[in-house]
């Protein structure tokens, strides 16, 4: 039904959109600072990526992007990893999107509608809810098990019996780091064959819980895996992500996107990044070393914190989190306040960078929060 104009004469959007609160992130004014607020790669991409971008001929910018070979490169990269692939993965099982955000939007646009339910956990990545809201979906968010932010497996399994349209799992979960073993992910999908189970694996490289090494999408066609080159390979600014699953599901999700949503620069960078797995492996190893350093300092200072999967942790300052966040920003260090979020209110989410970067963070944080040496 057509919506009447508002009092100022502006044409209203669909009622679902009028009720929606847009997802926004404080992304301005971050250049030149230590970026520990959005779980990005903190050192930049591989030199091979930079070289490939610099070598792009000018005329290529005037041509619509081409994707030939990119899906094959993704499959080859996955197959060459130590965990490998237990089952063949065809290139048509890989969808290319304008970042994983674009894939999430497309999944819910393709599969969600008014009266459908999105099942997820709480707290989790904040973009799932508005994408579901755009479609008029109801949202059922199951709290994590406390203490420890354990995955609420039995509660989610019970909710699946009510046949939600989509189950969205962030694994490991952002911001709690909650992990779910791959075989339990497959068990959830097997229990609900009429529910599309979407596993957001953006942080998988830091924990190793991926379902991709073991899944057979022909046997489990209702499971879709999301992957990105933002968190490890340093391509967050270029916006490229992948949805990997049964070819028919990938096809349907791709139907609601534009034909050229991913630009040529992102494609060129992705080829180079996928060809330099050694760079990614070295970065991940450095982040894990940095995590050991920060955890040891937090334990020594008896700071309340929580760390599990992903390249981030939660800590609870002695002083108000918003004040500490502001003072860290003034010192050139960005972190993310979790004030008001269920189960983690009063905490700061701190992304993990290199050991040198985390040493800088710790020395500054210790002084701001009044911790002893």
């Amino acid at each position: 039904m057509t919506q009447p104009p508002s009092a100022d004469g502006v044409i209203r959007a669909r009622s679902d959109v009028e009720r929606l609160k847009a997802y926004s992130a404080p992304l301005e004014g971050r250049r030149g600072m230590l970026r520990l607020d959005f779980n990005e790669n903190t050192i930049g991409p591989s030199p091979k990526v930079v070289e490939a971008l610099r070598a792009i001929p000018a005329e290529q910018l005037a041509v619509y992007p081409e994707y030939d070979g990119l899906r094959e490169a993704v499959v080859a990269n996955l197959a060459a990893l130590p965990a490998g692939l237990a089952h063949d993965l065809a290139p048509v099982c890989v969808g290319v999107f304008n970042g994983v955000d674009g894939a999430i939007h497309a999944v819910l646009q393709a599969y969600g509608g008014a009266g459908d339910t999105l099942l997820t956990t709480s707290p989790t990545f904040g973009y799932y809810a508005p994408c579901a809201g755009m479609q008029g979906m109801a949202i059922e968010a199951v709290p994590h098990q406390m203490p420890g932010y354990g995955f609420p497996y039995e509660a989610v399994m019970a909710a699946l019996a009510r046949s939600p349209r989509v189950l969205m799992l962030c694994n490991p979960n952002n911001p709690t780091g909650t992990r779910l073993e791959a075989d339990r992910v497959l068990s959830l999908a097997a229990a609900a064959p009429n529910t599309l189970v979407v596993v957001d694996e953006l942080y998988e490289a830091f924990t190793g819980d991926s379902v991709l090494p073991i899944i057979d999408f022909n046997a489990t066609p209702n499971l879709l895996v999301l992957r990105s080159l933002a968190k490890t390979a340093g391509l967050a600014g270029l916006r490229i992500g992948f949805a990997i699953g049964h070819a028919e599901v990938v096809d349907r999700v791709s139907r609601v996107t534009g034909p050229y949503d991913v630009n040529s620069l992102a494609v060129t960078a992705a080829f180079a990044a996928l060809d330099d797995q050694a760079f990614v492996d070295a970065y991940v190893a450095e982040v894990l070393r940095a995590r050991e350093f920060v955890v040891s300092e937090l334990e020594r200072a008896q700071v309340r914190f929580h760390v599990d999967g992903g390249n981030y942790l939660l800590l609870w300052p002695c002083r108000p989190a918003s004040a500490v966040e502001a003072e860290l920003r003034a010192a050139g260090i960005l972190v993310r306040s979790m004030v008001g979020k269920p189960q983690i209110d009063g905490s700061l989410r701190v992304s993990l960078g290199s050991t040198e970067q985390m040493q800088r963070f710790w020395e500054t944080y210790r002084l701001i929060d009044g911790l002893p040496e």
Side-chain angles (χ1 to χ4, degrees), residues 41 43-52 232-235 272-273 275-276 279-280:
N41 171 307
I43 66 171
S46 159
K48 291 184 179 180
V49 170
V50 177
E51 180 181 355
T232 54
L235 304 190
D275 193 45
D276 196 359
F279 175 87
V280 170

Side-chain angles (χ1 to χ4, degrees), residues 14-23 129-135:
R14 289 187 292 109
S15 57
D16 295 328
V17 177
E18 290 293 334
R19 290 191 295 267
L20 191 67
K21 182 179 180 180
Y23 176 80
C131 286
M134 293 176 203
Q135 302 305 118

Side-chain angles (χ1 to χ4, degrees), residues 46-202:
S46 159
K48 291 184 179 180
V49 170
V50 177
E51 180 181 355
L53 290 173
R54 287 175 173 164
I56 293 176
E59 61 268 20
Q60 184 173 324
L61 302 181
V63 179
Y64 285 114
E66 298 179 2
Y67 307 117
D68 285 353
L70 182 55
R71 295 170 178 83
E72 289 81 356
V74 171
V75 173
N77 176 271
L78 292 171
L81 293 175
L85 296 171
H87 302 275
D88 289 340
L89 186 66
V92 292
C93 294
V94 180
V96 183
F97 296 88
N98 185 12
V100 164
D101 293 344
I104 293 167
H105 190 184
V107 165
L108 293 173
Q109 189 175 3
Y111 282 90
D116 293 331
T117 297
L118 168 68
L119 176 65
T120 189
T121 59
S122 175
T124 193
F125 180 43
Y127 193 52
Y128 302 154
C131 286
M134 293 176 203
Q135 302 305 118
M137 300 179 74
I139 300 167
E140 181 177 356
V142 181
H144 292 95
Q145 293 177 344
M146 298 297 287
Y149 306 100
F151 185 83
Y153 184 83
E154 297 302 330
V156 170
M157 187 66 83
L160 285 173
R162 297 188 286 274
S163 299
R165 184 63 166 155
V166 179
L167 167 61
M168 189 74 72
L169 300 176
C170 190
N171 189 33
N173 184 58
N174 171 24
T176 62
T178 304
R179 297 168 60 178
L180 184 62
E181 298 88 346
D183 60 345
R184 303 200 91 187
V185 174
L186 295 184
S187 295
L188 291 174
N194 295 320
T195 296
L196 180 64
V197 177
V198 182
V199 190
D200 181 341
E201 290 192 351
L202 262 66

Side-chain angles (χ1 to χ4, degrees), residues 30-31 35 38-51 53 99 202-203 205-206 227-242 265-284 287 311 352-353 357:
R30 302 173 66 239
R31 306 310 188 257
R35 299 172 287 100
F38 282 95
N39 305 336
E40 300 157 320
N41 171 307
T42 59
I43 66 171
S46 159
K48 291 184 179 180
V49 170
V50 177
E51 180 181 355
L53 290 173
L202 262 66
Y203 304 101
F206 301 97
R227 285 291 191 94
S228 169
L229 295 173
K231 311 303 181 181
T232 54
L235 304 190
L238 289 173
R239 314 308 303 132
I240 187 164
F242 308 102
L265 300 182
V267 172
T268 297
F271 273 116
L274 291 167
D275 193 45
D276 196 359
Q277 186 63 37
F279 175 87
V280 170
D281 293 342
Y283 177 70
V284 170
V287 168
N311 61 336
L352 300 169
Q357 289 169 333

